[in-house]
Every structure is written in C-alpha cells, then in structure tokens.
C-alpha cells in the first residue's frame, strides 16, 4: 500500500482542556487509487491530513500514537530534514484557499519555477519553460503569456488549477487535497474534480480527497472513509456506500443531498450539531444525534465491525442500517 495510516491519534492542548481531534484513525490508499475522507467541520479529517503531511502545529497539537507508513517507511519517525524532502518530492498537498496559499507578490511563473530551481537544480530559463508546460497541462489558457501574471489576476478556478500545477510539479506519488473545490462555484468544482481525476489516472498517483460534500466525490473516489468526532465510523468502496450505507450518520449525509427525483419533499438534515472534541459523548459519539440510538449506544463504544468485502462500520446496529 502506498499510504498506510494505522491507529493515528492526535490531541490539542488548549486552555479549556484536551481536544481529542483524531482518535485511532486507520486508512490507506494505493497508487492510482482515490480515497475520499468525508466529514463535517471538526470531524478530524483536516487534522489527520496535517499529521500525515507533517505540517501539524505542534504545540498545541501532539501526535500521541499510531504510524503513518508511506512506501513502507513510518513518516512519524523521520527527522524534519528528511520529512521536508519527502513532502516536496513524493507527497504534495492542495489547500482549499488558493489565494492565501500563493505568494501575492510573486508571479505564478516564479512560484511554479521555484519548484524546479530549488528541488531539481534547473536554470531559471528552463524552470520558466516547465512552468508554462505545467500551466498548459492544467489547461490555463494562454499559459505562455499568463505565466507573468500575479495570483490576484486569475479567477478562483484558475488559481486552484495553479495550486494543482504546483502540487503536480515534481510528480509526487501521492496528493492530499483538502477541500480543493469548496470555495468554487458548482460548474468550476466539477471541472477541477475532473482535472484531478484525469491527472491521477495519467500519473498513477494516489489521491486523498478531503471533503464535507458527498456529492462532490461520487464520480471520482474509489473508496470513502466517513469521519465523525475524530474516528472513521464507516469505510467502504464508493458504490457500496452510496447504494446501502451501514452507518446512520452516513445515511443522514446521503439523505441530505438534494435530488431531482425527490422534488417537493423537504430536505433531510442530520439533527443537532457535531460534538465538541473537548467533551466527546460516551459510548457511540453519534448517539445524541442518531435516530437508531438505544441504551447500549450510550455506554458501549462500537468497534469497527466488518460488514462486507472492504467495508467496515462502527455501529452496533449496522445490519438494521444496511436494510434501510
Ligand atoms: Fe446510532 Fe447506536 Fe449505531 Fe451509534 S451505535 S450509530 S448511536 S445505532
């Protein structure tokens, strides 16, 4: 497996107490495969990504357990220099907000070119040519001219393409994209997703897509891990999960996607709010919001049950949920 995360645990020490942000996450992705990690804000998905990338703010964050095996090596055991080298050349990340991730006072050509001068020792002239090639590859029109433009001269969708180009520059084995389309409108979202899927196929990269929107990943993901209160509560191949979710939280998320065949019917919403990570409910952390909750759910933490081929659910009543 390209990336194999095992029992990862992260906590944050705050003035109000210890926030248990990631509580034993196990997941993985192979070369050429896309894993979508889905959850509401505060579910721990971005913190998991930051821990994998080695960009967690420490303190206040602290990795308290687990392994992050990338090509068989545990990234958590590498020194900072080696970690930085892996991060530049083999692992890349795309952030949600391209405008604040790009340097406003440098042209996009300089920023893209820097990847090649710093990491590949290329001359400025060759690096500029590579920057144009990359901008062409992510379909930025008139790349030869626009390579001299600054980030603010591009639309949101084009800026996100530049971020993708930067992530792709060194042809990493794995890209982690944290909500890459959240700030974009719906048609541009689809174009950016299609581009990511196409590049993943072409370069046989692993792709981890972090999102709060089940609708966005349906066509591009191979498998999905659903996070809640710092745990993966369901993981499954994408088709199985959409056809018959095995966890009430996943079912709630699916039911809250607007659908044309349900016109005129009120849109479902998962009741209540996600819990504070400073005070995670006892037993199953989803019990205060769960329509299937019973007494045992308030006291006993559900283990991850194997519910099918490549499928797991952290619900005592997964059979009932599967039946719908
Ligand atoms: Fe709901 Fe209980 Fe299943 Fe948790 S274990 S998801 S509370 S039915």
């Amino acid at each position: 497996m390209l990336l194999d995360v095992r029992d990862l645990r992260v906590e944050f020490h705050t003035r109000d107490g210890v926030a248990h942000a990631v509580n034993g996450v196990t997941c993985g992705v192979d070369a050429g495969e896309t894993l979508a990690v889905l959850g509401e804000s505060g579910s721990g998905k971005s913190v998991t990504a930051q821990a994998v990338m080695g960009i967690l703010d420490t303190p206040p964050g602290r990795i308290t357990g687990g392994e992050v095996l990338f090509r068989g090596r545990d990234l958590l055991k590498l020194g900072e220099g080696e970690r930085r080298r892996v991060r530049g050349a083999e692992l890349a990340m795309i952030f949600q907000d391209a405008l604040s991730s790009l340097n406003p006072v440098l042209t996009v050509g300089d920023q893209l070119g820097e990847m090649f001068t710093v990491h590949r020792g290329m001359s400025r002239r060759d690096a500029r040519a590579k920057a144009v090639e990359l901008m062409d590859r992510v379909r930025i029109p008139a790349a030869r001219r626009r390579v001299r433009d600054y980030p603010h001269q591009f639309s949101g969708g084009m800026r996100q393409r530049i971020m993708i180009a930067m992530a792709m520059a060194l042809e990493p084995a794995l890209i982690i994209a944290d909500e890459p389309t959240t700030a974009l409108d719906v048609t541009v979202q689809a174009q950016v997703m299609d581009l990511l899927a196409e590049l993943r196929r072409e370069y046989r990269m692993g792709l981890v897509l972090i999102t709060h929107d089940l609708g966005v990943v349906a066509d591009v993901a191979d498998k999905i891990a659903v996070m809640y209160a710092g745990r993966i509560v369901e993981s499954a191949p994408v088709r199985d999960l959409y056809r018959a979710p095995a966890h009430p939280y996943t079912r709630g998320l699916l039911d809250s996607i607007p659908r044309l065949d349900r016109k005129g019917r009120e849109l479902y919403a998962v009741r209540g709010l996600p819990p504070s990570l400073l005070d995670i409910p006892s037993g199953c952390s989803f019990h205060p919001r769960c329509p299937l909750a019973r007494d045992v759910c308030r006291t006993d933490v559900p283990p991850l049950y194997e519910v099918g081929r490549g499928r797991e659910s952290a619900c005592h009543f997964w059979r009932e949920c599967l039946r719908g």
Side-chain angles (χ1 to χ4, degrees):
M1 190 164 283
L2 181 63
L3 176 72
D4 189 3
V5 178
R6 297 183 184 167
D7 198 25
L8 183 67
R9 291 169 190 274
V10 181
E11 52 186 43
F12 285 86
H13 290 253
T14 73
R15 266 190 314 197
D16 299 323
V18 179
H20 299 277
V22 179
N23 302 307
V25 162
T26 295
C27 61
V29 66
D30 263 322
E33 192 177 47
T34 301
L35 165 72
V37 180
L38 181 90
E40 293 166 289
S41 323
S43 59
K45 54 193 193 310
S46 294
V47 175
T48 303
Q50 287 163 12
V52 169
M53 287 298 293
I55 55 170
L56 192 71
D57 280 336
T58 46
R62 199 159 73 91
I63 296 172
T64 55
E67 293 176 310
V68 176
L69 302 172
F70 178 65
R71 292 176 154 166
R73 277 192 308 172
D74 187 355
L75 297 182
L76 302 182
K77 296 206 172 105
L78 299 184
E80 190 41 42
E82 182 64 2
R83 196 81 203 262
R84 207 173 304 126
R85 200 201 61 73
V86 171
R87 191 155 62 230
E90 300 178 67
L91 255 175
M93 189 153 178
I94 299 169
F95 297 93
Q96 178 185 139
D97 185 0
L99 195 54
S100 57
S101 305
L102 292 165
N103 187 331
V105 297
L106 290 179
T107 66
V108 296
D110 284 341
Q111 294 182 63
L112 281 166
E114 197 180 276
M115 303 292 291
F116 298 102
T117 51
V118 172
H119 291 275
R120 295 281 188 263
M122 280 187 186
S123 68
R124 270 180 65 90
R125 190 197 178 102
D126 290 347
R128 175 57 64 107
K130 281 296 244 183
V132 173
E133 201 179 290
L134 270 173
M135 286 172 71
D136 258 336
R137 185 65 202 80
V138 297
R139 295 198 214 96
I140 293 175
R144 199 169 293 279
R145 175 169 55 79
R146 301 223 64 191
V147 76
R148 292 188 212 98
D149 286 348
Y150 292 87
H152 73 270
Q153 293 173 283
F154 292 84
S155 66
M158 287 297 151
R159 274 198 296 269
Q160 203 52 287
R161 283 171 192 263
I162 292 163
M163 289 300 298
I164 294 173
M166 287 189 79
M168 294 295 306
L170 305 178
E171 298 184 18
L174 178 75
I175 287 189
I176 300 179
D178 190 359
E179 304 268 12
T181 61
T182 301
L184 308 175
D185 66 45
V186 178
T187 41
V188 182
Q189 271 185 2
Q191 291 164 5
V192 170
M193 276 297 169
D194 286 348
L195 176 65
L196 270 174
E198 182 189 316
L199 294 170
R200 190 262 293 157
R201 271 193 305 275
E202 190 179 321
Y203 292 90
R204 244 189 96 62
M205 295 178 309
L207 179 62
V208 179
L209 265 176
I210 293 173
T211 180
H212 65 276
D213 186 346
L214 252 181
V216 165
V217 293
D219 296 330
V220 290
D222 298 297
K223 55 189 190 182
I224 297 193
V226 181
M227 284 193 75
Y228 190 81
R231 273 190 89 189
I232 290 178
V233 292
E234 177 164 10
S235 61
V238 69
R239 274 198 202 92
D240 294 345
L241 185 130
Y242 276 83
R243 200 176 49 233
H247 194 283
Y249 178 56
T250 317
R251 179 167 291 282
L253 292 177
L254 279 173
D255 286 347
S256 53
I257 299 174
R259 283 174 41 177
L260 286 174
D261 59 343
R262 290 190 192 158
K263 245 166 116 179
R265 273 163 54 186
E266 206 173 312
L267 199 59
Y268 179 82
V270 180
R271 68 179 182 191
L273 294 171
S276 159
L277 297 172
L278 291 164
D279 186 20
I280 295 177
S282 60
C284 171
S285 55
F286 187 56
H287 82 251
R289 307 173 74 188
C290 180
L292 299 184
R294 287 162 223 180
D295 286 348
V296 63
C297 304
R298 291 176 189 90
T299 51
D300 294 10
V301 177
L304 271 172
Y305 296 98
E306 203 176 318
V307 305
R309 204 179 142 83
R311 299 196 65 175
E312 288 182 321
S313 166
C315 173
H316 296 303
F317 301 103
W318 60 269
R319 284 193 181 80
E320 205 172 308
C321 187
L322 262 183
R323 284 197 294 271

